[in-house]
């Protein structure tokens, strides 16, 4: 969808508070929607997605705290980002995603503390997750377009995910990378929490993959290069994502990928984690073999699974749950012959049982398969980031 089309659509949308009314269709949280027992709700989600349902998924939380009395109160909300940063980020975002046919660039954005629902025109629903719905929205004053995620506090409470959400907000709102979905701010009322997210114009990568079956080597390599750049950024900030998979990747208006869903991510300066999390097909051996230790290298394993799935159309260890686990701990996979030797080499270097022997991210970026398909082209962007650092942005393949 082009920016002009979005603009045209937005011109037609009107505020529909009814959409945000709990009685008007926000799905009810399932009684057992806690992360430790999410298979039903995950299957629900899969059934909404294109293509056959993925292998039954497993999310296990070892830290299963009792949040029965945990209410959302203003004092418990993560601190709002400073107004100046929010303003810069939004302006930068708008500048980036708009060219000559730009939407209005916001001149002044309020701080998170000042956000409220009345400031937004609510447009069409973009999708539905386990705990809420996401709507296209436009900030009335400045006209910036975003995705507004609406979560019901009662459902969050019932699902015992308030702590997870707080962590997600805290981590994601501090991330600024072209391949990571921005969280511009959040606010809440008595019943709901609202997340103001960057709008990913092309939607879900998972759906795209299911539609085409598998990606071309070029397209897969460009996505993996973007993933590696984003993960490198995250790991430098001591953030481990821990749930990398196509379902958690959105696609921006220019075809660039945007890692989203930081619900399982952790800030791990000491790299010592005991929580088992993520999706079975993507779980690394160190999370299955009983050791209570894992670090950022879990994301390298997931990157290997992702590379495989992009090129083959199915995850490498997809099997019955017991067999999948057995195969993961041995890295027992078969790479089909149609996968190029260079791509197979990268997959094998990522899907290594011993975490320390996995190829590091800076070497992924220089791997022959990546260089073959994503060699910096004339005009390749080296983007100056607001924090002063430079990020290489790879062009996206479509
Ligand atoms: N920023 C966004 N831009 C465009 N579409 C989005 C955006 N965020 C979410 N969506 C759409 O809304 C759907 C629901 O998103 P949501 O984040 O609530 O759930 P999810 O990540 O799919 O699932 P879960 O509840 O398991 O985290 C997504 O699958 C996607 O299609």
């Amino acid at each position: 969808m082009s920016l002009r089309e979005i603009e045209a659509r937005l011109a037609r949308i009107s505020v529909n508070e009814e959409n945000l009314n709990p009685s008007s269709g926000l799905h009810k949280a399932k009684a057992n929607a806690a992360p430790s027992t999410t298979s039903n709700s995950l299957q629900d989600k899969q059934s909404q997605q294109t293509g056959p349902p993925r292998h039954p998924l497993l999310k296990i939380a070892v830290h299963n705290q009792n949040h029965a009395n945990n209410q959302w109160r203003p004092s418990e909300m993560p601190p709002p980002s400073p107004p100046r940063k929010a303003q810069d980020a939004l302006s930068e975002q708008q500048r980036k995603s708009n060219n000559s046919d730009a939407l209005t660039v916001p001149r002044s954005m309020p701080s998170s503390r000042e956000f409220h629902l009345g400031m937004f025109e609510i447009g069409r629903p973009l999708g539905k997750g386990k705990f809420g719905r996401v709507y296209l929205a436009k900030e009335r004053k400045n006209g910036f377009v975003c995705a507004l995620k609406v979560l019901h506090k009662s459902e969050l409470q019932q699902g015992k995910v308030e702590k997870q959400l707080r962590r997600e907000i805290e981590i994601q709102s501090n991330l600024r990378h072209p391949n990571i979905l921005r969280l511009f701010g959040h606010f809440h009322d008595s019943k709901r929490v609202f997340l103001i997210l960057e709008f990913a114009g092309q939607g879900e990568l998972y759906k795209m993959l299911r539609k085409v079956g598998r990606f071309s080597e070029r397209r897969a390599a460009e996505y993996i290069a973007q993933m590696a750049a984003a993960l490198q950024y995250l790991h430098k900030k001591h953030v481990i994502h821990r749930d990398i998979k196509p379902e958690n990747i959105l696609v921006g208006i220019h075809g660039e990928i945007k890692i989203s869903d930081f619900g399982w991510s952790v800030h791990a300066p000491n790299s010592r984690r005991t929580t088992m999390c993520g999706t079975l097909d993507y779980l690394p051996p160190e999370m299955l073999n009983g050791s209570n230790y894992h670090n950022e290298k879990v994301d390298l394993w997931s990157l290997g699974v992702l590379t495989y799935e992009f090129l083959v159309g199915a995850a490498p260890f997809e099997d019955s749950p017991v067999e999948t686990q057995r195969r993961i701990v041995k890295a027992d996979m078969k790479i089909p012959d149609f996968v190029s030797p260079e791509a197979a080499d990268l997959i094998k270097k990522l899907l290594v049982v011993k975490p320390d022997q996995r190829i590091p991210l800076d070497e992924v970026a220089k791997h022959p398969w990546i260089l073959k398909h994503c060699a910096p082209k004339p005009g390749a962007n080296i983007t100056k980031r607001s924090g002063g650092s430079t990020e290489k942005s790879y062009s996206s393949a479509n």
Side-chain angles (χ1 to χ4, degrees), residues 45 126-130 134 147 149 181 198 200 204 250 261:
K45 176 182 165 188
L126 293 171
K128 185 173 132 183
K130 280 193 298 294
V134 183
K149 186 163 170 173
L181 194 80
E198 174 182 0
E204 293 170 56
L250 293 170
D261 206 336

Side-chain angles (χ1 to χ4, degrees), residues 45 83-84 86 97 117 127 155 162 164 186 202 216 232-233 270-271 287 302-303 313 343 347 349:
K45 176 182 165 188
R84 180 69 200 151
S97 47
L117 189 55
E155 296 183 355
E162 305 109 303
Q164 194 177 319
H186 61 271
Q202 290 194 28
S216 68
Q232 223 172 341
Y233 169 84
N270 61 7
S271 306
M287 282 193 185
S302 312
L303 190 64
I347 292 169
K349 285 180 171 152

Side-chain angles (χ1 to χ4, degrees), residues 133-365:
R133 282 177 192 266
V134 183
Y135 299 88
L136 186 62
K138 184 165 86 164
E139 203 265 340
R140 289 173 193 279
K141 194 165 163 220
N142 296 301
F144 84 88
V145 175
C146 60
L148 198 64
K149 186 163 170 173
V150 187
L151 303 148
H152 277 263
K153 291 178 183 178
S154 57
E155 296 183 355
L156 297 170
Q157 211 179 337
Q158 207 177 346
K160 297 186 170 67
V161 290
E162 305 109 303
K163 191 179 165 201
Q164 194 177 319
L165 177 64
R166 258 181 239 122
R167 190 167 59 187
E168 184 172 0
I169 293 174
E170 207 170 296
I171 290 177
Q172 202 176 349
S173 58
N174 284 304
L175 302 173
R176 279 141 188 69
H177 187 278
N179 301 116
I180 296 175
L181 194 80
R182 281 295 314 273
L183 172 58
F184 295 122
H186 61 271
F187 57 96
H188 65 127
D189 62 17
S190 59
K191 293 205 168 80
R192 297 161 298 184
V193 179
F194 300 86
L195 305 185
I196 309 163
L197 292 160
E198 174 182 0
F199 171 53
Q202 290 194 28
E204 293 170 56
L205 187 69
Y206 182 78
K207 273 191 187 156
M208 290 182 173
L209 182 58
R210 285 293 166 265
K211 202 168 161 190
V212 296
R214 56 182 204 248
F215 294 143
S216 68
E217 295 246 342
R218 176 169 173 259
R219 184 170 178 181
E222 293 199 348
Y223 286 157
I224 294 302
Q226 293 171 37
M227 285 296 304
L231 288 175
Q232 223 172 341
Y233 169 84
L234 286 180
H235 293 177
K236 263 189 213 146
K237 291 180 86 76
H238 305 290
V239 172
I240 316 177
H241 188 281
R242 306 198 302 179
D243 199 15
I244 294 296
K245 55 181 176 176
E247 292 90 324
N248 289 338
I249 301 171
L250 293 170
V251 183
I253 199 82
H254 301 296
E256 75 284 17
I257 61 165
K258 305 271 178 191
I259 301 182
S260 70
D261 206 336
F262 283 77
W264 279 119
S265 63
V266 279
H267 191 254
N270 61 7
S271 306
R272 194 168 184 86
R273 314 299 317 173
T274 54
T275 308
M276 261 174 85
C277 53
T279 299
L280 182 56
D281 284 327
Y282 275 72
L283 273 191
E286 62 269 34
M287 282 193 185
L288 282 173
N289 65 13
S291 120
N292 68 351
Y293 176 84
H294 68 264
N295 59 16
E296 79 287 351
K297 304 254 181 341
V298 296
D299 288 339
L300 292 175
W301 177 274
S302 312
L303 190 64
V305 178
L306 195 70
T307 310
Y308 185 107
E309 185 162 357
F310 282 173
L311 292 168
V312 178
F317 310 108
E318 231 176 82
D319 216 317
S320 67
V322 173
E323 270 301 286
T324 296
Q325 294 185 53
R326 189 196 63 75
R327 290 177 56 197
I328 288 173
V329 295
K330 290 187 189 159
D332 172 13
M333 60 165 168
K334 167 145 182 36
I335 304 178
D337 291 342
F338 59 75
V339 174
S340 71
E342 296 99 328
D345 181 71
L346 179 60
I347 292 169
K348 285 184 208 151
K349 285 180 171 152
L350 285 164
L351 294 180
V352 175
V353 174
K354 290 197 173 147
D356 288 340
Q357 289 176 13
R358 288 172 201 152
I359 181 173
L361 287 167
D362 54 341
E363 285 181 34
V364 171

